[in-house]
Each structure stands twice: as C-alpha cells, then as structure tokens.
Amino acid sequence: MPLNMPQVDDNNIWHPFSIQSEKHRNTYVSRGDGAVLFDENGKEYIDLVSSWWCNLHGHANSEIAEAISCQAKKLEHVIFSGYTHGQAVDLTQNILNHMPDALNKIFFSDNGSTSIEIAMKIAYQYYVNTGDTKRNTFVAFEGGYHGDTFGAMAIGASNGYHDVFAGLLGSCKFFKYPCITDGCDIESIESDVLGQIDDYFSSYGNTVIAAFIEPLVQGASGMQVSRPQFLNAFVKLCHQHNIIVVFDEIMTGFFRTGKMFAMDYIDDKPDMVCLSKGLTGGFLPLGLTVVASKIYKAFRSHDIAKAFMHGHTYTGNPISCSAANASYKILMRDATQRRIAKIEEFIRDNFYKLNTIECVRNVRTMGCIGAFDLSCNNDILMSVVNSLKNEGILMRPLMQRTLYWIPPYCITDDQMIRCFDTMFDVVSEVTKK
Ligand SMILES: Cc1ncc(COP(=O)(O)O)c(C=O)c1O
C-alpha cells in the first residue's frame, strides 16, 4: 500500500455512491485472484457482486490480461471516425452471433450510461429523419435504473437515485414494473400493467420516442425479478403500437439471467439493445448500442443533417475491444458454460432456504442472480453487511433492504457453499438480536 494511502484517499478522492461522512474509511484492495479480492493485510474477500456486476471470469484473469497487453503493444487507440480496426470487427461478429437477424448495426461507446444515451438519441433522430418531429416523451418502468447521465436519469427518474435532479430531467411516462413478490398474484398485476400501457399507447403512442426496460431483472432497484411472459407481452404490445423497444441488457447480458441475453427467453425481440459491464469481462470500460436495420436505414443519406452526430473520444477503443473478445472466448467455452449452469443450480437450490429466517422476505432467483430483502432497519442491515465483510464476503446492499449475489463465473463450489452457509448464519444471528 502507498505510504500516504489513507490520507490521500480520505482527503482527496471522492468515491462514487458514497455518503461523505468523516468517519468512513475505504478498504484498500491490493490485488485480486479469481473470485477473491485481497486487502493490504492479505485478508480475502469473496466478491459476490462481481465488482459492480461486471466481472465475469475472475479478477486479474491472465488470458484477458494477456490479450490486453498484446493489443496495447500493437495499437492502443485510433480515431473511430473514418478509421477502424480488427478488434472492433471481431467483437461485432461475436455479438451479432447472438442477436436476431434484424439487429445488425452496432454503435460503440465507453460505458453503460452512454450506450443508453445513444439509444435515446438514435430513437429520437430516427423519427426526425423520417419527418416525425412531434415525439417528446419516453416510456420506462418505475424503479428502473439506466445510468447517471441526464438522459439516462430521465428514464430512471422514479428509482430514487436521481431525485435531486428531478427538475432538470426530460419527459418520461413510468409504469409499474411487475416484479414477483411473496404471495402476489403476478398474472393479475401483469395484466393490469399491460392494460395501462395499452391505454396510454392508444391515446399518446404518437408522442412516444421509445420504451426502455431492464428485461427480467431490474438491477439497482433491488434485483427485482419479472416473468418472461410479461416481457414478451410488453414487446408485442409496443410493436402493435409501432413503439421502438430498447432492452437495457447492461446488467442482464452475458448469461447473468442464465441465457446469453434476457431477450433469449422471449419470441418477440427488441429494436435496440444496450450492452456494457460484463462485455469486457469486467476489465475495461466499453458500451455497445445494437440497432435494428429498419432504424439505421433512416440515417443512410448524403445529407449531414441526417447523420448521427455523436461520438466519444474512446469510442471503440481497441484495448477495450480486445478485452471483450478475450472475455467472449472464455465465456463460450464448455467449461465456463458448465460453471454457469452450476451457479444457477446452486442459487436456485439454496436461496429459498433463507425463507426459514424470520425477517427474510421476497427470496428470488433468476439464472446466476439470487436476492432477498430484509425487513429490518438500515442499522441492522449494515451490521449484516459488516459481519459478512469480517467473514471475508463482499456483499453490498441495494435500496436499504436487498442483499444479493451476482458472482463471477469462476467462483468454486466450495466458495459458494462457504458463502451461503456463512450468509445464512450471519443473517439469522444478526437479525435475531
Ligand atoms: C441496467 C443498467 N443500466 C445502465 C447502467 C449504467 O452503466 P454505467 O455505470 O456503466 O454507466 C447500469 C449500471 O449499474 C445498469 O445496471
């Protein structure tokens, strides 16, 4: 650890999503290996949240590190307007292998929020380019989180994270996200929501630019799980009303839900898909917005006014793309696919055992994601989290009520068993007091 680390970190670094209280001291992480992070004393923490949901194959994965190193020695970056490179071409092919035929154009950027901004802007300009300038509102779901830039905040305005900026955000109509909770009548909730969306589109559909959804699992609002039946019906409804549908697969992509993409659970497909996080295996920032050719065609013109005038300096960065290609190669291997199936099975078979603990509510699982709520105050929740940390388990709560797993795929059976048993004991003990 650098000698002056606590002083500089305390005095000069402003960490994200962190209350700035004087008491707080960040844990210094010196290295990572597989699912484990090590602090300066060599204490181990099993990273059950994949360091903000992006690590797929473990920390410091040598294959991805090697690919990055090779690429850095060959071409570190190149302007992506008028120039291109092999890593972007390979990545495009890799991703298109898993997209429906109709989605065949990819716009590169450098994080999740920007891939969302791009989808919002492309949808809007699509209509402008086709002579429809009346559209002025987006549609999204309550609790949805799509990033922290202004456009992304507008379509996530109901999630509680962006309240301070409410007065500055663009227009968005929100509908209830029909997530599965203890004892709910999910079919009737879904049909109410679909009825409300249908009514809204019937009256105002011609003002809607696009509808955004986190498919199957809303992440930041607490790993809220909804059904593929709802997702399919929602996409169908949008298409009946000619509304562009955008799937935010930034968290759900790359087998988090058990399939490559959440859209693989349904028959009707979105018109745009946003990807980031797991895309590079958790090594480097990169965002992709995958666009249907029918939308892209409205931008094909000699008229500069019809061009999509958007780009970020590090758009399509070759080193980020090389990490993504290396991660994809590992992801597609039989051994990784077997691990993913094993993690899914472990989470499904074990998480519901938590229902025997008194204050546990709404246990839910979807693929490699497991979550539950605690009906206790935030101090107790934080005691649970701190006790888990003392036991060498990194979990971070959401919405002051939800604990969850979204582990790297390299996590071993022994690590999962140890984490689950410890978590069960800690939650039981701490919440009993
Ligand atoms: C579903 C979803 N969309 C968008 C984002 C924003 O991505 P980024 O943090 O890379 O801007 C996130 C980040 O957590 C997310 O979970």
Side-chain angles (χ1 to χ4, degrees), residues 53 111-114 116 145-147 214 220 248 250-251 276-277:
W53 320 344
N111 63 69
S113 304
T114 53
I116 292 284
Y145 177 88
H146 302 283
E214 284 173 86
D248 175 348
I250 290 163
M251 189 276 288
S276 189
K277 288 200 185 281

Side-chain angles (χ1 to χ4, degrees), residues 93-128:
Q93 281 173 334
N94 289 337
I95 294 297
L96 291 186
N97 284 338
H98 302 271
M99 289 288 153
D101 291 344
L103 272 76
N104 62 12
K105 204 79 189 175
I106 300 188
F107 198 97
F108 285 67
S109 60
D110 50 16
N111 63 69
S113 304
T114 53
S115 73
I116 292 284
E117 297 284 330
I118 287 161
M120 295 175 79
K121 288 175 68 174
I122 286 178
Y124 180 73
Q125 193 176 343
Y126 162 77
Y127 283 111
V128 173

Side-chain angles (χ1 to χ4, degrees), residues 400-413:
Q400 303 196 339
R401 67 161 192 262
T402 303
L403 288 172
Y404 64 97
W405 287 23
I406 180 168
Y409 301 145
C410 63
I411 192 167
T412 65
D413 290 352

